[in-house]
């Protein structure tokens, strides 16, 4: 979190046509992202909130997507400047937009994680999202959830945050604190620990009481040996068997159970 200088804020607002406090979305435009539902929800806000705010959709857009979003804005009876389509922005511009937005809304139906949520939270913003898949785990408070399949549910949650400064400030404080639970370092350490735990479990299950290796790997190799022994005619030159042994050796990981 940081304060954007008045000079930089003015330049950014002039570049993108942001003349009012704004609700922000950034991410992809595939159907599951539900940007259409967000535009519809913005159109369902009370007149006072709708007229005093803009909706900024921050991402690269194809001409057909721009046309479709314009059509949806007209259907929602929104004025021309209500929905701001920034197009592609630089990383520096993206961070400034996070810092300047009033709230961040992520209307996806489902997500594998939802990195923009965490980015906005790290910037100290009130973040709202759907109540399904990975998003509740990332955001961490039911106060921020809505039914992403229902534009009215999205609108009601946005209205609650936009009209109640104390509530919005509580979400902002939560974002800064809860986002500390996530980092690339933490994720890497957890992944390594999980892999090591799995390997220990596999090693334990592959040894009998005397420490003799009895894994599926050994059984598979024994099966190969049996098939080779059964094959006819058998090559008589030693080079063939050396090459076969070399191939098997390269195919399977080393067996350290006897060390």
């Amino acid at each position: 979190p940081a304060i954007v200088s008045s000079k930089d804020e003015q330049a950014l607002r002039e570049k993108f046509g942001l003349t009012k406090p704004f609700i922000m979305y950034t991410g992809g435009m595939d159907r599951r992202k539900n940007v259409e539902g967000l535009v519809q929800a913005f159109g369902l806000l009370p007149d006072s909130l709708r007229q005093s705010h803009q909706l900024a959709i921050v991402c690269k857009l194809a001409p057909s997507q721009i046309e479709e979003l314009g059509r949806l804005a007209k259907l929602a009876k929104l004025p021309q400047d209500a929905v701001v389509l920034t197009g592609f922005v630089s990383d520096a511009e993206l961070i400034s937009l996070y810092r300047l937005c009033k709230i961040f809304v992520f209307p996806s139906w489902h997500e594998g994680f939802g990195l923009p949520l965490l980015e906005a939270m790290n910037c100290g913003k009130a973040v709202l999202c759907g109540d399904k898949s990975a998003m509740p785990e990332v955001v961490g408070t039911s106060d921020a959830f809505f039914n992403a399949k229902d534009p009215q549910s999205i609108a009601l949650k946005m209205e609650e945050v936009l009209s109640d400064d104390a509530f919005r400030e509580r979400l902002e404080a939560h974002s800064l604190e809860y986002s500390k639970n996530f980092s690339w370092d933490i994720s890497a350490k957890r992944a390594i620990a999980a892999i090591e735990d799995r390997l220990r479990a596999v090693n334990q299950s592959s040894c009998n009481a005397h420490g003799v290796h009895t894994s599926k790997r050994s059984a598979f190799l024994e099966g190969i040996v049996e098939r080779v022994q059964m094959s006819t005619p058998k090559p008589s030159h030693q080079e063939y068997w050396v090459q076969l042994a070399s191939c098997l050796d390269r195919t399977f990981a080393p067996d350290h159970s006897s060390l």
Side-chain angles (χ1 to χ4, degrees), residues 32 34 45 77 168 188 191 197 201 203 205 215 250 259:
R32 70 181 173 88
N34 191 34
L45 288 174
K77 299 181 180 179
R168 176 174 51 81
D197 286 345
N203 288 336
S205 65
S215 66
R250 292 196 302 269
L259 297 180

Side-chain angles (χ1 to χ4, degrees), residues 15 61 74 86 93 110 160 168 177 180 192 232:
K15 178 177 180 177
L61 295 168
K74 287 181 180 178
T86 66
E93 289 172 333
H110 56 87
E160 183 180 5
R168 176 174 51 81
E177 186 61 30
K180 295 176 183 177
I192 291 169
T232 56

Side-chain angles (χ1 to χ4, degrees), residues 18-238:
L18 293 166
T19 59
K20 304 172 184 177
F22 63 94
I23 300 161
M24 178 177 167
Y25 163 79
T26 190
M29 282 295 295
D30 45 307
R31 190 165 181 267
R32 70 181 173 88
K33 297 293 186 178
N34 191 34
V35 178
E36 297 87 347
L38 179 58
V39 173
Q40 293 170 4
F42 185 72
L44 294 173
L45 288 174
D47 289 345
S48 58
L49 290 176
R50 192 172 64 251
Q51 293 169 6
S52 59
H53 292 82
Q54 290 172 294
L55 173 61
I57 297 174
V58 182
C59 60
K60 183 179 180 180
L61 295 168
S64 60
Q65 293 169 329
I66 294 173
E67 183 179 348
E68 176 62 14
L69 289 172
R71 185 187 70 81
L72 289 169
K74 287 181 180 178
L75 283 176
K77 299 181 180 179
L78 294 169
Q80 189 171 0
D81 66 343
V83 179
V84 176
L85 308 178
T86 66
F88 176 81
V89 299
S90 68
D91 285 349
E93 289 172 333
L94 178 62
I95 293 172
S96 292
L97 289 167
Y98 276 132
R99 290 169 174 167
L100 290 170
C101 72
K102 186 76 170 286
I103 61 174
F104 182 83
V105 183
F106 207 56
S108 295
W109 293 334
H110 56 87
E111 287 286 337
F113 184 87
L115 278 174
L117 290 168
L118 194 55
E119 291 172 350
M121 291 171 71
N122 272 311
C123 290
K125 309 315 296 187
V127 168
L128 307 179
C129 68
D131 57 1
K132 298 292 188 293
S133 68
M135 294 173 287
E137 181 181 350
V138 177
V139 175
T141 174
S142 59
D143 289 342
F145 303 157
F146 50 70
N147 177 3
K149 292 282 188 177
D150 181 6
Q152 184 65 53
S153 176
I154 303 174
L156 288 173
K157 182 56 66 174
M158 289 196 297
E159 178 184 355
E160 183 180 5
V161 180
L162 292 173
S163 59
D164 187 340
D165 289 341
F167 180 46
R168 176 174 51 81
E169 289 167 3
R170 287 199 303 274
L171 289 179
E172 291 171 347
H174 168 81
S175 287
L176 285 176
E177 186 61 30
Y178 194 77
S179 62
K180 295 176 183 177
N181 293 313
F182 301 93
S183 77
W184 291 117
D185 282 347
I186 292 173
S187 296
K189 289 174 182 176
R190 287 179 176 172
I192 291 169
I195 292 168
E196 290 176 341
D197 286 345
R198 177 61 182 159
L199 285 174
R200 278 192 292 269
V202 169
N203 288 336
Q204 290 171 1
S205 65
S206 66
C207 295
N208 61 21
H210 301 288
V212 178
H213 197 270
T214 58
S215 66
K216 291 182 178 179
R217 172 185 175 278
S218 294
F220 185 66
L221 284 173
E222 290 173 3
I224 291 177
V225 172
E226 289 177 3
R227 289 300 182 99
V228 171
Q229 290 173 340
M230 292 169 56
S231 65
T232 56
K234 293 184 176 62
S236 58
H237 52 284
Q238 186 177 2

